[in-house]
Amino acid sequence: MNTDKLFAPFQAGSLSLANRIVMAPMTRVYSPNGVPGEEVAAYYRRRAEGGVGLIITEGTAINHPSAVSHQNIPNFHGEASLKGWAKVVEEVHAAGGKIVPQLWHVGMARSIGQLPNVDALPVGPSGLDLAGEQITEPMTKQEIDGIVAAFARAAADAKAAGFDGIELHGAHGYLIDQFFWEKTNKRTDEYGGDLEARTTFAVEIIDACRRAVGPDFPIILRFSQWKSGDYSAKLAQTPEELARFLTPLSNAGVDIFHCSTRRFWLPEFEGSELNLAGWTKKITGKPTITVGSVGLNSEFVTAVTEKSEEDNIERLLEKLEKSEFDLVAVGRALISDPAWPAKVQSGRTDEIIAFTSEATKTLY
C-alpha cells in the first residue's frame, strides 16, 4: 500500500498537522464527576505517541444543567475540569500531537431524571424526542441565547487552555442536530422552517464562538445525515439540498467539516461515488474529515461487506489520493490499538490489534 498521502502534512489556517489521521470523538465515561484525571491524559497521550495527527476528544459538556446524561462524561467548565483538560493538552503536545475538544449538548437525547443533574429537564427546539414524542416545552429565546453563550464560553476556555481548535457536535440527533432535523424542529419562528432556516441556531453558535476565539482559531463542525436510532434519516436528499444546508454554516465561519457516516465507502447520493465528505468539500471548498468504520476488520463489518483490514485501508487511500476529502477520522480501531497509525505507516497491518467490545471496558 502507498500510504504517502495519509501521512502527508496538512495545513488549514493556523492548524498544522503532521499527517491526515484524526482520532474520532468517542464517549468513554471515565471522568468521575465530570473531571478528566491523569488516566484520561495518559489515554490521549498514547494516541498522539501512536501517530495520530489530530485528536478530537470525546464529547464534553458545555455549562448547562442538561448538557449530558452521565456523571462521568467530562465537563468543559468549572475549575477542576478545565485544569484536567489543560493537563491533557500538555501531555498530547509533549508527544507531538494536536488536540481539540468536542463541545456537546445532547438536547432531547437525554431522558428526564438522568444524571448528573436529575432535576434538569431535557431541552430541544420543540421539546420533541428523536421519536417525535412531546416530552418538554419548546426552548424559549432566552434558553437559546443562554446555550449559545455557553458554547462561546467553552470555546474561549478551550483557547485559554491551549487547545488547537474546537469541534462543535452538530451530528447524530443531539441538540444542534435537533434544530437541523425537521422531525424534531417544528418551530415557526426564525429557528424553524425550511432546511436553511433550521441552521439558524448553529449559525448563531458558530458566530458566537468565532467572536470568542478570534479569526485564526480553527472551528470544526461535525454533522451527519443519520441520527441515533434512525440510520436512514437524511437532512438532505440531493446535492442541491445539501448545498442549501451547508452554505450558511460555511459562511458563518466553519473551517473544517467533519462528515459523519457509518461506512466511509458508501456513496451519499445516486449517480456519484462521492461520500458525504466528498460532496461537502465539493460544495463548500472547505477541508473535510471522513469517518465511518475506518480500520475495522471484516468480522466487525461483515454484514455490509467482506473485506480485510488491508482492503479497508486501500479503499480509503484511493479516495484520499483523489482528494475527495482531506482528513480521515479513525474511531474504534484506535480504542483497541493506540499504535494503529504507526502500524499502518510501516506496513504492519497484520500486527494491528482488532477491535472488540472488550476494549471499551478499560481506558488504555
Side-chain angles (χ1 to χ4, degrees):
M1 293 186 295
N2 183 352
T3 60
D4 289 352
K5 186 70 178 284
L6 187 61
F7 292 95
F10 172 79
Q11 183 82 35
S14 64
L15 184 64
S16 178
L17 306 179
N19 61 51
R20 307 303 180 96
I21 297 176
V22 177
M23 180 178 180
M26 293 172 286
T27 299
R28 301 306 311 275
V29 295
Y30 282 96
S31 297
N33 299 312
V35 179
E38 291 183 6
E39 188 181 21
V40 173
Y43 165 77
Y44 285 117
R45 176 170 182 145
R46 272 190 288 276
R47 274 73 196 167
E49 289 172 338
V52 172
L54 175 66
I55 291 169
I56 303 174
T57 74
E58 61 209 280
T60 68
I62 63 167
N63 191 8
H64 186 266
S66 60
V68 293
S69 54
H70 196 288
Q71 70 275 22
N72 295 339
I73 289 174
N75 291 328
F76 210 82
H77 59 88
E79 184 178 353
S81 294
L82 291 175
K83 185 177 179 181
W85 282 119
K87 178 63 175 176
V88 172
V89 172
E90 180 184 323
E91 291 293 322
V92 168
H93 284 172
K98 301 289 177 70
I99 184 169
V100 303
Q102 187 187 71
L103 307 180
W104 193 24
H105 194 302
V106 303
M108 299 301 300
R110 182 181 191 273
S111 300
I112 292 174
Q114 282 189 307
L115 292 168
N117 300 307
V118 294
D119 295 327
L121 294 175
V123 297
S126 301
L128 304 173
D129 66 13
L130 296 189
E133 298 293 323
Q134 192 76 47
I135 306 298
T136 57
E137 292 299 310
M139 290 171 68
T140 65
K141 182 64 166 72
Q142 184 178 12
E143 286 175 316
I144 288 172
D145 290 345
I147 287 177
V148 169
F151 271 104
R153 179 70 256 167
D157 287 339
K159 186 175 182 180
F163 280 92
D164 300 292
I166 59 166
E167 176 169 280
L168 302 171
H169 196 341
H172 306 163
Y174 297 117
L175 182 61
I176 293 174
D177 196 20
Q178 286 158 26
F179 276 83
F180 291 154
W181 198 25
E182 60 183 352
K183 186 173 181 178
T184 47
N185 184 350
K186 304 295 185 182
R187 299 179 74 96
T188 57
D189 61 5
E190 66 268 36
Y191 297 99
D194 63 17
L195 182 54
E196 184 174 350
R198 295 196 303 272
T199 67
T200 300
F201 178 62
V203 165
E204 289 187 358
I205 290 171
I206 296 160
D207 181 62
C209 289
R210 176 57 69 208
R211 285 185 277 111
V213 299
D216 299 323
F217 195 69
I219 296 177
I220 304 168
L221 175 68
R222 191 178 218 207
F223 78 98
S224 67
Q225 297 261 44
W226 66 274
K227 318 301 169 199
S228 299
D230 189 348
Y231 296 130
S232 64
K234 281 187 178 290
L235 297 174
Q237 299 287 343
T238 65
E240 292 74 24
E241 287 186 355
L242 186 62
R244 289 199 292 274
F245 169 71
L246 291 170
T247 299
L249 301 169
S250 181
N251 291 343
V254 173
D255 295 297
I256 299 171
F257 285 95
H258 187 178
C259 311
S260 181
T261 55
R262 298 181 67 226
R263 311 285 185 232
F264 76 83
W265 58 88
L266 295 180
E268 191 58 37
F269 303 113
E270 286 187 19
S272 168
E273 288 299 308
L274 293 176
N275 67 7
L276 186 61
W279 273 109
T280 299
K281 182 177 180 179
K282 182 177 182 178
I283 289 166
T284 66
K286 300 281 182 78
T288 59
I289 305 170
T290 197
V291 68
S293 301
V294 176
L296 295 179
N297 62 16
S298 58
E299 276 132 28
F300 192 82
V301 295
T302 216
V304 177
T305 183
E306 289 285 349
K307 56 192 172 65
S308 69
E309 189 102 39
E310 189 163 324
D311 291 337
N312 180 305
I313 298 167
E314 284 186 342
R315 293 179 73 173
L316 179 78
L317 294 172
E318 287 173 12
K319 288 183 165 292
L320 187 61
E321 197 64 43
K322 295 176 185 175
S323 296
E324 292 181 15
F325 39 75
D326 303 273
L327 299 163
V328 175
V330 182
R332 287 158 293 193
L334 278 169
I335 289 181
S336 58
D337 196 340
W340 187 91
K343 290 176 180 178
V344 169
Q345 186 174 23
S346 60
R348 295 178 291 135
T349 54
D350 58 327
E351 296 179 20
I352 290 173
I353 301 168
F355 174 81
T356 68
S357 60
E358 286 296 308
T360 65
K361 297 177 181 178
T362 59
L363 193 70
Y364 172 69

